[in-house]
Amino acid sequence: MSSSWWSEVQMGPPDPILGVSEAYKRDTNPKKINLGVGAYRDDQGKPYVLSCVRKAEAQIAAKKLDKEYLAIGGLGDFTKACAKLALGDDNEVIKSGRNITVQTISGTGSLRIGANFLSRFHTEARDVYLPKPSWGNHTPIFRDAGMQLKAYTYYDPKTCGFDFQGALNDISKIPEKSVIMLHACAHNPTGVDPRPEQWKEIADLVKKRNLLVFFDMAYQGFASGDIDRDAWAVRYFIEQGHNIVLSQSFAKNMGLYGERVGGFTVVCKDAEEAKRVESQLKILIRPIYSNPPMNGARIAATILNTPDLYKEWLGEVHGMANRIITMRELLVANLKKEGSTRNWKHVIDQIGMFCFTGLKPEQVERLTKEFSIYMTKDGRISMAGVTSGNVGYLAQGIHAVTK
Amino acid sequence: FVPGCFSVLVPQATPVAVFKLSNDFKEDPNPMKVNLGVGAYRTDEGQPWVLPVVKKVEKLIVADNRLNHEYLPILGLPEFRSSASKIALGEDSPAIQENRVGAVQCLGGTGALKMGAEFLRRWYNGNDNMKTPVYVSAPTWENHNSVFANAGFEDVRPYKYWDAEKRGLDLAGFLGDLETAPKHSIFVLHACAHNPTGTDPTHMEWTQVAEVMKRRKLFVFFDSAYQGFASGCLDKDAWAVRYFVTQGFEMFCAQSFSKNFGLYNERVGNLTIVARDADNVRRVLSQMEKIVRVTWSNPPSQGARLVAITLNTAELFAEWKDNVKTMADRVLLMRASLQAKLQALGTPGTWDHITQQIGMFSFTGLNPKQVEYMIKERSIYLMASGRINMCGLTTKNIDYVAKSIHETVVNVQ
């Protein structure tokens, strides 16, 4: 047998987040719980296909549309609605045509296009400042695009809350024109969001430091249950004159995970600049995948552009967010019932799909090995994986490894 | 505070030629206009065609309440990946039987090329070796250059392929470039229905190509975007890919299901990997996962589901092959018709290449001046290279097109 081109190719380690689900799948323990990936589950622990999505699909099927290539920038009905959802219907940016919004391969694809764009055109600074901690995939995405990663203080492990002063201190030292990544709402992995007054101070400081703001909004609607409330920070920054770049995902808030629906927006100084930026985004997209997939964007556009579907959607998002809030309360109640004397207030204070439990890697490992409870090493649990059926067992496990 | 940090640095990019052509066509008010640009199938009524089998399977999917929209695995839908690779390599492929085939579901053929290119740049010929030459045919699909350049390869070069004078394959030139290419160079080969020329090597010519590539240790990267579309037969169109497998090559094959399934906008593609053994496949796939994760995390599910169901259900598979033959046959009919009409008109030059070429495209041999004339004076839109999409021809417009070609060739040099 002759040798292989690939003899030197090392076995790559499993993905820290997606690898958790794969390990969970292999586990035969009937009590196992998957609190790894941020995918919503109903109270029976099942994936939830939104009713408005099913209705939209039926409407689309009846239209007998063709399958012709989308434009490189995606489905127009989708991108327009996507921008409106984030920025608000009456936003001046949209009215003046100074945003360019392209359809992307969900949130990851959006971040990647954004990273590539900044790497090519924001040549004055190569550093991207992420909150500490941030979504695990942010770092490899920006690094692969050729940017350098730095961090600013964000999470306070002592309070399991927001280290506001720490954040301001670090941000005040960030060199001008650097890129700063902000999670618009439902910070991943901590679930810790700044309050509006805090956002205001951050916006002010960021302006003083002349930083380029990159908002990642993967959970609009999912955090508070209210679309506009969750987009408040994004809209505030724009109002204050920041020309942001923004990634949006519809994986969670529309349950369209596998359809890969997302958007990338650049807020430009005027419509003319937006046209130039658009032309360059297309040049970046074409050698990656030519043009984006239709199915999910069509579903999202139908929902966003059909008043009763839109209304139904708002209700369903609200419902999902509420179930999570209920689970947070139940988990804390159950921990108390188990006899835990630790302060678990942060479980209720944190917002969105994830909870940063404060568990240490050794405790996480024990939870996985002894209880078949799966989460990422950093102690992040997806509240969406918690049900009234398993919350008792979860509390038992957490108490056992922390008492 | 300066809004828009990059306001002065973003220049207007020139639009991608093929899309600009479509735009110009759209805006042309001439009722006789014909679009021979973009590579998408059209019926004899000049309409897009959603394959009957696709309509059928879509209904099945919508009706199946067990299906949801959960994330696919990073590498894609397993049933899609394996059945797609079988299509390319053949069900009884020795490589499949020996368990040394892997696959990555990607976003269309472009996505498959992209994943392959990114992997090669990181792991082939040393680590992160951007200097490995990548050879693409002269001419080739214009996005080949961009895909490999954007993946980091610094040296993307042409290999001789099209002989404009004799309107056929420049075999000697091709083999010559293979002989002189630096060892380990990567060659992008069109599996069938070469885009844009429609000119494929014969079986004999492929064996000669393979011999040199094996001897000189060149990397085989097939681009298979038209399997089934070229001859109407899946196996016939996969002959070259399968031949190289029997010759023991480790290789990549980027497959697209855009054309043969008519699923253009669902972005259904597959990167098939043939390696020395299962262990190599395993390691390669683990590294592919890392690349996928920082590009799109996981691929879209709708199109893959559709293809998997079709390929894995006997009656649907048969129906699909039939649909594919329908498309290929119409193209063959248009080729024969155009050639016959040009001959009947006595159009200067020989026009045999129209019927000798295969697949969606034909390299007419019209020069840029003649192309400009066709567009401006006759509202017939084709690429500056003289490439026409045969699918743009219908029984209703073929006379107009034939006469226009005739007029152009006679009046414009």
Side-chain angles (χ1 to χ4, degrees), chain A residues 4-6 9-10 12 15 41 57 67-68 108 144 258-260 273 276 279-280 289-291 294, chain B residues 7 10-11 13 42 58 69-70 110 122 142 250 265 267 283 286-287 290 293 296-298 301:
Chain A
S4 170
W5 290 126
W6 316 125
V9 175
Q10 296 141 27
D15 183 274
R41 294 287 175 265
E57 287 177 307
K67 303 222 167 279
E68 294 300 289
T108 299
D144 204 57
E259 302 296 339
R260 319 309 292 128
E273 178 176 68
R276 284 184 279 115
S279 72
Q280 295 295 346
Y289 53 86
S290 279
N291 39 70
M294 165 67 94
Chain B
S7 53
V10 181
R42 292 285 177 270
E58 274 183 329
H69 293 289
E70 291 298 295
T110 305
R122 286 164 175 67
E142 108 287 340
E250 288 189 300
N265 68 21
R267 315 313 294 125
R283 282 179 285 106
S286 74
Q287 293 297 345
K290 308 269 142 281
R293 190 57 164 134
W296 54 62
S297 272
N298 41 73
S301 82

Side-chain angles (χ1 to χ4, degrees), chain A residues 199-274:
Chain A
W199 272 125
K200 286 180 177 171
E201 279 200 55
I202 294 169
D204 213 49
L205 177 58
V206 165
K207 193 189 282 199
K208 283 203 185 68
R209 298 300 309 147
N210 196 11
L211 307 178
L212 202 173
V213 174
F214 197 142
F215 265 112
D216 185 353
M217 184 155 69
Y219 300 97
Q220 189 185 4
F222 225 104
S224 67
D226 182 316
I227 291 290
D228 296 310
R229 215 165 130 189
D230 288 351
W232 185 85
V234 169
R235 297 174 189 183
Y236 180 77
F237 270 68
I238 291 175
E239 249 174 66
Q240 296 301 302
H242 296 266
N243 285 347
I244 66 168
V245 302
L246 166 70
S247 284
Q248 289 168 264
S249 166
F250 289 84
K252 284 85 170 168
N253 60 14
M254 281 195 182
L256 289 174
Y257 309 93
E259 302 296 339
R260 319 309 292 128
V261 192
F264 178 66
T265 293
V266 182
V267 176
C268 304
K269 76 172 196 280
D270 54 38
E272 192 272 330
E273 178 176 68

Side-chain angles (χ1 to χ4, degrees), chain B residues 54 57-58 61 261 263 301-311:
Chain B
V54 165
V57 178
E58 274 183 329
I61 292 174
F261 258 89
L263 286 173
S301 82
Q302 179 72 359
R305 240 175 211 166
L306 222 145
V307 172
I309 292 171
T310 306
L311 298 182

Side-chain angles (χ1 to χ4, degrees), chain B residues 56-308:
Chain B
K56 201 177 269 184
V57 178
E58 274 183 329
K59 285 207 180 88
L60 293 175
I61 292 174
V62 168
D64 191 345
N65 275 319
R66 295 166 307 166
L67 293 176
N68 54 40
H69 293 289
E70 291 298 295
Y71 288 125
L72 285 181
I74 300 175
L75 297 178
L77 187 67
E79 321 74 279
F80 166 76
R81 294 158 56 208
S82 55
S83 59
S85 292
K86 280 206 185 110
I87 288 293
L89 305 180
E91 252 204 32
D92 48 6
S93 171
I96 294 179
Q97 275 158 15
E98 289 155 25
N99 207 12
R100 53 191 188 85
V101 173
V104 182
Q105 177 192 335
C106 296
L107 271 83
T110 305
L113 288 161
K114 166 70 170 177
M115 281 304 136
E118 288 285 346
F119 181 88
L120 290 172
R121 191 260 295 158
R122 286 164 175 67
W123 296 102
Y124 175 71
N125 199 21
N127 291 4
D128 284 304
N129 188 352
M130 333 249 229
K131 299 211 183 305
T132 303
V134 177
Y135 282 81
V136 300
S137 64
T140 194
W141 181 49
E142 108 287 340
N143 206 17
H144 277 153
N145 287 279
S146 318
V147 169
F148 284 88
N150 274 272
F153 285 102
E154 295 168 354
D155 184 357
V156 182
R157 331 172 170 177
Y159 60 86
K160 294 190 193 66
Y161 192 83
W162 170 250
D163 184 331
E165 245 187 85
K166 76 169 217 248
R167 287 190 191 163
L169 179 69
D170 177 4
L171 181 67
F174 187 1
L175 294 174
D177 281 346
L178 289 169
E179 290 286 4
T180 57
K183 250 195 185 147
H184 306 312
S185 294
I186 296 162
F187 273 76
V188 180
L189 308 172
H190 297 228
C192 69
H194 183 271
N195 178 1
T197 69
T199 298
D200 290 342
T202 61
H203 288 189
M204 179 53 116
E205 288 164 348
W206 273 125
T207 64
Q208 292 174 268
V209 169
E211 189 273 320
V212 182
M213 292 191 77
K214 193 191 289 196
R215 179 169 31 88
R216 305 214 58 252
K217 302 205 191 328
L218 304 172
F219 188 83
V220 176
F221 198 146
F222 271 110
D223 183 354
S224 178
Y226 301 98
Q227 190 183 358
F229 217 103
S231 68
C233 170
L234 292 169
D235 296 318
K236 250 171 129 178
D237 290 349
W239 188 88
V241 173
R242 297 174 189 184
Y243 175 73
F244 273 69
V245 172
T246 64
Q247 293 303 297
F249 284 92
E250 288 189 300
M251 58 201 228
F252 286 175
C253 179
Q255 302 169 258
S256 166
F257 292 88
S258 291
K259 282 81 171 175
N260 60 16
F261 258 89
L263 286 173
Y264 308 96
N265 68 21
E266 296 296 3
R267 315 313 294 125
V268 197
N270 194 47
L271 177 69
T272 287
I273 297 149
V274 181
R276 193 60 64 216
D277 53 41
D279 185 66
N280 274 293
V281 169
R282 211 174 43 93
R283 282 179 285 106
V284 167
L285 289 180
S286 74
Q287 293 297 345
M288 287 283 183
E289 280 195 355
K290 308 269 142 281
I291 303 171
V292 170
R293 190 57 164 134
V294 297
T295 314
W296 54 62
S297 272
N298 41 73
S301 82
Q302 179 72 359
R305 240 175 211 166
L306 222 145
V307 172

